[in-house]
Structures are given as C-alpha cells and as structure tokens.
Amino acid sequence: MRVAIVGAAGYTGGELLRILLDHPQVSELQAASESQAGKFVWSAHPNLRKRTDLAFLPYDALRPADVVFLALPHGEAMRRLDEFRGLGTLCVDLSADHRLRQASAYDVWYGAPHPHPERLAEFVYGIPELHREQIRTARQLSGAGCNATAVILGVLPLARAGVIDRSRPIVAEAKVGSSEGGRESSEATHHPERAGAVRSFAPVGHRHTAEMEQELAHPRVDFSATSIEMVRGVLATAHVPLARELDEKALWRIYREAYAAEPFVRVVKERTGIYRYPEPKILSGSNYCDVGFALDPRGQRVVVVSAIDNLVKGAAGNCVQAMNVACGFDETAGLGFPGLHP
Amino acid sequence: MRVAIVGAAGYTGGELLRILLDHPQVSELQAASESQAGKFVWSAHPNLRKRTDLAFLPYDALRPADVVFLALPHGEAMRRLDEFRGLGTLCVDLSADHRLRQASAYDVWYGAPHPHPERLAEFVYGIPELHREQIRTARQLSGAGCNATAVILGVLPLARAGVIDRSRPIVAEAKVGSSEGGRESSEATHHPERAGAVRSFAPVGHRHTAEMEQELAHPRVDFSATSIEMVRGVLATAHVPLARELDEKALWRIYREAYAAEPFVRVVKERTGIYRYPEPKILSGSNYCDVGFALDPRGQRVVVVSAIDNLVKGAAGNCVQAMNVACGFDETAGLGFPGLHP
Amino acid sequence: MASSCPECGANVGVGNKPMAGEIVQCPDCGTELEVKNLQPLELAVAPAEEEDWGE
C-alpha cells in the first residue's frame, strides 16, 4: 500500500514515519515537507538514522497514494484540503480542522468561523474505540486532540452505561508534556524557563473541551491543563458525578465490558506495586491508553485516571490504528511496541 | 525456538522479555524468578500488561530450552552455573561473572578470586561488533558491562587502525542513568536524593575498566562515571591519545570502514541540527550504539563520544543480537525498534 | 476450574487441580488470591502486607 505524509517534518509526522516504516502493509512511503524539502528525513528525525534514506519531498512533487495523512499546523488543512484531498482514496487529517461536528463550535473554541463548514459532516472522528464501524467505510478521518483522547477514553464506559449525572459538569484535569506544543520553539519553551514547570497554561477555555463534550455527549465538561516536567505523555484525572450509587464491582463490570476486547485500552487498577493506576511514564512510544478509576466513598462520584503518549495514541498511533480499520488490516499492524519500563 | 530467562523479574530480565516476546523465531518463552514465582510477568513489568499472560516460574520448574539467559545478580552465575548450564544448548550470562579472560583480574576489580577460573576460557565476550565469528560457534556467551560497551565501541575503530599512542592512557568519562543500579532500591536511589544528581559515584576503580583494557587491548584506561538526571542511557566521552597526526577525513575513513556495514552502530557527527553528536535521549529502547568523534586542533588527540541505552545495547538487546548470531538468525531479528524523538 | 475475583469480579482460572491455600493472581486487578474452599471453589484476597506509599 502507498502512503503519503503531508507535513512530515513535525513531531507527529516523525511518529507517523517511525510507525509506518515498520508497517507490514505499507510498501511505499512519501514524506512531504516544504521547509525541509530535499533533506533526508533523519535530519529532522534523528532516531531514524540508518533506518531509512527517504528524503522530504516538496508538496508539489507528491505522487498519488492510497492513504494521505495531513500533519499540518491548525488552520492549514482547512484552507488547503483541496490541494491534497485528491492525492489518495483515504485522507486522515491529524489537525483540529475537521474534528467538530458543529461549525459554530469553531467560532466559540477556535475564535474564527470554519471556512468550509459543509465539509465537517464528511469527516469521521477517528478514534476506533468510539467509531469503529463508521471508520470501516470512511474516506475522510480526523485525528483527535491528545488531551481529549485521554479524557474521552477514560470516561466513555460510564457515559455509555448511562450512569453519569448529566445535570452536573465533569471536571477534568490533565497533566501534559512539552511535546504537545509541537516543534515550534518559543520563549515559554526555552529550557531554563520550561524545565521543572508545574504551569497552568490553560485553566479554562482549552480547545479540546469541545471534543470531550461532543464525544461523551455530556452537556458540560470543565477541563484544564497543567504542563509538568515531561516531554511525552498526558495524565487525565476526570471527576465524574454519578446518577446513582455504584459499587467497585459494578464499575469493574462497566470497564471490563467496554475494554476487555480492545487491543489498545488496558484497565489498570491494582492494590499493590508501584504502578497501581495509569501513568504515562511506561507508555512512551506505545499506542496504549491505560484507564483506571476510584470510587469516592462519600458516594455518587468516581475519579477516572487515564494516560496516553500524546504523540502516539494521542496522534500518530491512533491515526495508523484508524487507517488499519479503514483499510481492513489487522488493527494492531505496525503498533506492536509495548512501551518501556523503567 | 525455546528460550528460558533465569532472573526474569529484574530490569534486564524485563527487557529480555519485551524483546523476545516480539522475536520472530522465539516460539516458547520461560520466565523464571524465585522472588516473583507464580505471579504474572506484568506485575514486575507493567509495560507488558495485556501483551502476555506469562507467569514467573520458580527455578526448579524450568524445562529444557534451546537458549538460556542468566540475568542473575553478580556473583550468583559464577556459583550456580551448573544448575542452569544443562538447561539449554546456548547459555548467555548477562552478569560480570564470566566477562574477563584473566582470572586474576577478578581479584583486582571484583575484590575476590573467581571460584571457577577454568571456566573463563569457555565464554566468549558477547559483543558481535567485536567477536562475531567466535560468537557464531560459541555455546557460552557473556554479556558486557554497559559503560564498557559504550567506551569500547566508541574507541574500537581507532584501536583496530593502530593509531592510538599505547604509551599514554585513554581517559574515559561516562554520564550514566539510574537504571544501571538495577531494581534494588537504596537510600542513595531515594528520589529526593537521586533526582537532579550530578554525582561522581565511581571516580576511580570502576569495574568496567577491566573489560575496556581487555577488549581494546590498551594497557591503561582511566575510567570514571558520573550519575546524572537520566533513567536509561550512557554517554561516554573518551580522550584518546594518537600515535600520529590524523585529519578529519582520515578519521571518517577509519569509522566508516569499521561501522558502515554494522546494523546497530551509527556514526553521528553532523555540523548542523540539535543532535550533532551521539546522545542517549533518542536511543531509549533501541539497540543502537551511536558513535562520534572530534579531532583536537592542538593535535594528536581525538575525543570520541558514544551513547547507548544501558538496558538494551548495554545488556538485553546486545545479548539477543549475540543469540541471533549464534543461532544463525538475521542479526536484527526482534531488535527493530528505532528509539523515540523527541 | 475458575471462580470470580472477590476484588474485581474477574473470572480467575485456577488450573484443574487447585489446592486449598494455593495462591493465584487475578488477571485483571493483579490481586493475590488464596483458594479458600474447593467445593464450591472459593477465592479470598490473600493476606499481603499493605505497602505504605506515603508520598
């Protein structure tokens, strides 16, 4: 199968390359980047040295492919979709540009009207654990926000079981790594300023909130994010109000039924050991989302803990997983790396 | 092929499991641990959750296998080799117990005479880049010290080219991560004490020195190690006195001839970009050793920089690579993970 | 033979010849369980010293 990556020099582009270079069904790979055109891909992704001698192509040199991944900065995919859409049968847009179903949400959360609202309905929100059946026949997929992915996958079983009190908000707190900001450096990412930070960079109004409310079909999610000393990883802690009393066994049943058969979601809640609840440390490079929960003994409230690698299950890995579903391949193809410990 | 790991609950045991679970030729895997017998392997190695339901066996329940890896604390393999040697045709001892060729070196560097000096000659020092031909027919392999691996692979091309001034010592400095100490915790590894350390824990007399002098056949290597804020990784900086003037082109030729064909050694020396010389950050989980060099303009001296993941190329990965050579498999089988960036 | 984990309700297999007092680990929540009773098969959380995490 032929795959093209548009915007292959960024961090998600680099992860797409790393994963697809080892994908059993991918026979031809194109890596397009305007800024790095002509250079070897390993000059932008040093982990790929001696792994490939692929070079970046300028956009206009792109040949047709079966699957096209758009790893462009937010706002560019919206404007330039026509340039790339025709390149391949399946188009996967990793940016936020086609994630939301209501065009009006873009005015609220992204501060500007969407230039092509009519297109939003053509895209399927590309998390297989949420929309596997739709993805099977989709021709246009959108990736998901990394923080949104962690919160959504954590809370989803409760939403589906209809046990959440819809009259009260879900409050979610994500601890995030610096790679979420992508390759662009700024004063705030200058090491002496960023190292050791425990920084509330988006206490309110974080864009991923829209996806959480959309996909959990919950009226109000109050989300805030804090950057911490970490490069890859998201740890989301969601405070979920329950509509009725539940005990631990009932919660285990809900999570087991939702995720036992999922290849990439692990329910992690253990009484002993060091890693009793999910944490991103052991997930770097893997496509796993770990989910755990703790029932509040004071009743009618559960705290859900979920963790991912924002560049893999929060971006590139999830999109390859969705591609596998859409192309009818084994859903885990190319995504076997289990992460490292310690 | 059937493989058994004795001492599978430690960090190197966990990496052997992670790699061998994805090895195309390994059909049966036994993970033996006295302390964790009966438990699932993922209780000690949480990254392997949902990846395997293998459980630890007590030593006495081990069945014969084709290859036996000994991942025991130093001193145990020496004493208990007979218990495990007969289990398999090929035995790979990851500890220091059979690395040195001279028994007397154990009195000097390990403070006690070797209990079975006659066995030392039966073991081949298991770094394929050094002893590939001998490893092909070997039945007993020893792993190498992680710091030694980094220094040796960095300096080896110069030693082989005969350009090192043997009348002067090689001075080597390694910056190392906390996982070198293994799973055992102590006061010194207590996070508030270990975090942020830049700690000279072995300025002189480090045991790996013996291997460096042995394998580089250089009379005197002065090695010291400093632990820094890192879990996985070794960065070795070797100051090598030259016997005659060399220019950069000559050095490139020496390193290219030595390593162009090696699947796991990359020569890294670039004029631009962030990662111009080797560094461990992008090697975690990969079996690569990156090697670079800088000629001292004041003449007759070159500084060699080399980096590895101490748990992979410095231990488990290297031993699987050596197993592949000894069993006639593709040398890279099971070792395809290229590391992560950022 | 199998029974359900008292901690999380998972299905815990104990092999075909379990012994009273034998320790098995729950595949879902990792809790160590002791075979309390054979007919019917009954599992209880094995006594384990509760490690103090003390952050």
mmCIF file of all heavy atoms in Angstrom, chain B residues 27 65 97 100 109-110 115 141 156-157 175 183 194 257 307:
data_model
loop_
_atom_site.group_PDB
_atom_site.id
_atom_site.type_symbol
_atom_site.label_atom_id
_atom_site.label_comp_id
_atom_site.label_asym_id
_atom_site.label_seq_id
_atom_site.Cartn_x
_atom_site.Cartn_y
_atom_site.Cartn_z
ATOM 1 N N SER B 27 9.440 -19.255 19.890
ATOM 2 C CA SER B 27 8.069 -19.783 19.958
ATOM 3 C C SER B 27 7.665 -20.071 21.401
ATOM 4 O O SER B 27 6.498 -20.046 21.757
ATOM 5 C CB SER B 27 8.012 -21.092 19.160
ATOM 6 O OG SER B 27 9.102 -21.926 19.621
ATOM 7 N N ALA B 65 15.498 -25.806 27.329
ATOM 8 C CA ALA B 65 15.220 -24.832 26.262
ATOM 9 C C ALA B 65 16.433 -24.832 25.334
ATOM 10 O O ALA B 65 17.455 -25.445 25.632
ATOM 11 C CB ALA B 65 15.043 -23.450 26.882
ATOM 12 N N ASP B 97 30.151 -12.140 35.740
ATOM 13 C CA ASP B 97 30.866 -13.293 36.301
ATOM 14 C C ASP B 97 31.764 -14.025 35.321
ATOM 15 O O ASP B 97 32.632 -14.793 35.726
ATOM 16 C CB ASP B 97 29.832 -14.283 36.893
ATOM 17 C CG ASP B 97 29.142 -13.654 38.113
ATOM 18 O OD1 ASP B 97 29.425 -12.468 38.418
ATOM 19 O OD2 ASP B 97 28.313 -14.327 38.747
ATOM 20 N N LEU B 100 35.701 -11.614 32.062
ATOM 21 C CA LEU B 100 37.142 -11.347 31.929
ATOM 22 C C LEU B 100 37.883 -12.636 31.579
ATOM 23 O O LEU B 100 37.511 -13.729 31.990
ATOM 24 C CB LEU B 100 37.653 -10.771 33.259
ATOM 25 C CG LEU B 100 36.924 -9.482 33.701
ATOM 26 C CD1 LEU B 100 37.538 -8.933 34.981
ATOM 27 C CD2 LEU B 100 36.955 -8.416 32.598
ATOM 28 N N TRP B 109 39.649 -6.354 40.345
ATOM 29 C CA TRP B 109 38.486 -5.479 40.067
ATOM 30 C C TRP B 109 37.233 -5.879 40.833
ATOM 31 O O TRP B 109 36.317 -5.079 41.002
ATOM 32 C CB TRP B 109 38.200 -5.462 38.561
ATOM 33 C CG TRP B 109 39.324 -4.828 37.796
ATOM 34 C CD1 TRP B 109 40.301 -5.476 37.086
ATOM 35 C CD2 TRP B 109 39.608 -3.425 37.694
ATOM 36 N NE1 TRP B 109 41.172 -4.558 36.535
ATOM 37 C CE2 TRP B 109 40.770 -3.297 36.892
ATOM 38 C CE3 TRP B 109 39.003 -2.275 38.208
ATOM 39 C CZ2 TRP B 109 41.338 -2.051 36.592
ATOM 40 C CZ3 TRP B 109 39.571 -1.033 37.904
ATOM 41 C CH2 TRP B 109 40.726 -0.934 37.099
ATOM 42 N N TYR B 110 37.153 -7.119 41.262
ATOM 43 C CA TYR B 110 35.921 -7.544 41.936
ATOM 44 C C TYR B 110 36.194 -7.978 43.382
ATOM 45 O O TYR B 110 35.330 -8.499 44.061
ATOM 46 C CB TYR B 110 35.230 -8.668 41.137
ATOM 47 C CG TYR B 110 34.619 -8.140 39.852
ATOM 48 C CD1 TYR B 110 35.394 -7.995 38.699
ATOM 49 C CD2 TYR B 110 33.287 -7.730 39.803
ATOM 50 C CE1 TYR B 110 34.862 -7.463 37.540
ATOM 51 C CE2 TYR B 110 32.749 -7.199 38.634
ATOM 52 C CZ TYR B 110 33.539 -7.068 37.506
ATOM 53 O OH TYR B 110 33.021 -6.520 36.358
ATOM 54 N N PRO B 115 35.669 -18.229 41.642
ATOM 55 C CA PRO B 115 35.580 -19.611 42.139
ATOM 56 C C PRO B 115 35.857 -20.669 41.068
ATOM 57 O O PRO B 115 36.284 -21.777 41.373
ATOM 58 C CB PRO B 115 34.129 -19.715 42.635
ATOM 59 C CG PRO B 115 33.374 -18.628 41.935
ATOM 60 C CD PRO B 115 34.369 -17.539 41.668
ATOM 61 N N LEU B 141 28.164 -17.545 26.123
ATOM 62 C CA LEU B 141 28.464 -16.134 25.848
ATOM 63 C C LEU B 141 28.329 -15.345 27.156
ATOM 64 O O LEU B 141 27.438 -15.645 27.977
ATOM 65 C CB LEU B 141 27.456 -15.570 24.852
ATOM 66 C CG LEU B 141 27.426 -16.194 23.457
ATOM 67 C CD1 LEU B 141 26.262 -15.600 22.648
ATOM 68 C CD2 LEU B 141 28.743 -15.919 22.733
ATOM 69 N N LEU B 156 37.002 1.480 19.538
ATOM 70 C CA LEU B 156 37.432 0.285 18.789
ATOM 71 C C LEU B 156 38.037 0.578 17.409
ATOM 72 O O LEU B 156 39.146 0.093 17.104
ATOM 73 C CB LEU B 156 36.251 -0.681 18.657
ATOM 74 C CG LEU B 156 36.547 -2.028 17.973
ATOM 75 C CD1 LEU B 156 37.478 -2.886 18.839
ATOM 76 C CD2 LEU B 156 35.235 -2.777 17.700
ATOM 77 N N PRO B 157 37.379 1.384 16.548
ATOM 78 C CA PRO B 157 37.964 1.608 15.214
ATOM 79 C C PRO B 157 39.396 2.163 15.280
ATOM 80 O O PRO B 157 40.254 1.776 14.502
ATOM 81 C CB PRO B 157 36.996 2.603 14.575
ATOM 82 C CG PRO B 157 35.687 2.357 15.279
ATOM 83 C CD PRO B 157 36.073 2.062 16.694
ATOM 84 N N LYS B 175 28.643 9.442 31.591
ATOM 85 C CA LYS B 175 27.492 10.031 32.290
ATOM 86 C C LYS B 175 26.403 8.945 32.253
ATOM 87 O O LYS B 175 26.043 8.470 31.170
ATOM 88 C CB LYS B 175 27.015 11.286 31.538
ATOM 89 C CG LYS B 175 27.810 12.548 31.845
ATOM 90 C CD LYS B 175 29.289 12.508 31.478
ATOM 91 C CE LYS B 175 29.554 12.493 29.984
ATOM 92 N NZ LYS B 175 31.024 12.472 29.673
ATOM 93 N N ARG B 183 17.087 -3.081 39.947
ATOM 94 C CA ARG B 183 15.791 -2.932 40.613
ATOM 95 C C ARG B 183 15.910 -2.639 42.108
ATOM 96 O O ARG B 183 15.015 -2.010 42.686
ATOM 97 C CB ARG B 183 15.040 -4.260 40.427
ATOM 98 C CG ARG B 183 13.640 -4.191 40.918
ATOM 99 C CD ARG B 183 12.767 -5.284 40.385
ATOM 100 N NE ARG B 183 11.491 -4.639 40.066
ATOM 101 C CZ ARG B 183 10.751 -4.874 38.995
ATOM 102 N NH1 ARG B 183 11.151 -5.751 38.106
ATOM 103 N NH2 ARG B 183 9.631 -4.232 38.781
ATOM 104 N N ARG B 194 18.139 11.250 44.752
ATOM 105 C CA ARG B 194 18.756 10.901 43.452
ATOM 106 C C ARG B 194 18.375 11.915 42.370
ATOM 107 O O ARG B 194 19.186 12.214 41.488
ATOM 108 C CB ARG B 194 18.274 9.483 43.028
ATOM 109 C CG ARG B 194 18.758 9.031 41.640
ATOM 110 C CD ARG B 194 20.260 8.945 41.542
ATOM 111 N NE ARG B 194 20.741 8.459 40.249
ATOM 112 C CZ ARG B 194 20.828 9.175 39.114
ATOM 113 N NH1 ARG B 194 20.439 10.449 39.108
ATOM 114 N NH2 ARG B 194 21.295 8.633 37.988
ATOM 115 N N GLU B 257 34.883 2.637 7.652
ATOM 116 C CA GLU B 257 35.291 1.261 7.361
ATOM 117 C C GLU B 257 34.870 0.326 8.487
ATOM 118 O O GLU B 257 34.398 -0.777 8.267
ATOM 119 C CB GLU B 257 36.819 1.176 7.163
ATOM 120 C CG GLU B 257 37.230 1.287 5.692
ATOM 121 C CD GLU B 257 38.644 1.889 5.555
ATOM 122 O OE1 GLU B 257 39.477 1.611 6.460
ATOM 123 O OE2 GLU B 257 38.869 2.639 4.584
ATOM 124 N N ALA B 307 27.129 6.659 22.687
ATOM 125 C CA ALA B 307 25.909 6.608 23.511
ATOM 126 C C ALA B 307 25.146 5.314 23.252
ATOM 127 O O ALA B 307 25.131 4.805 22.116
ATOM 128 C CB ALA B 307 25.021 7.807 23.180
#
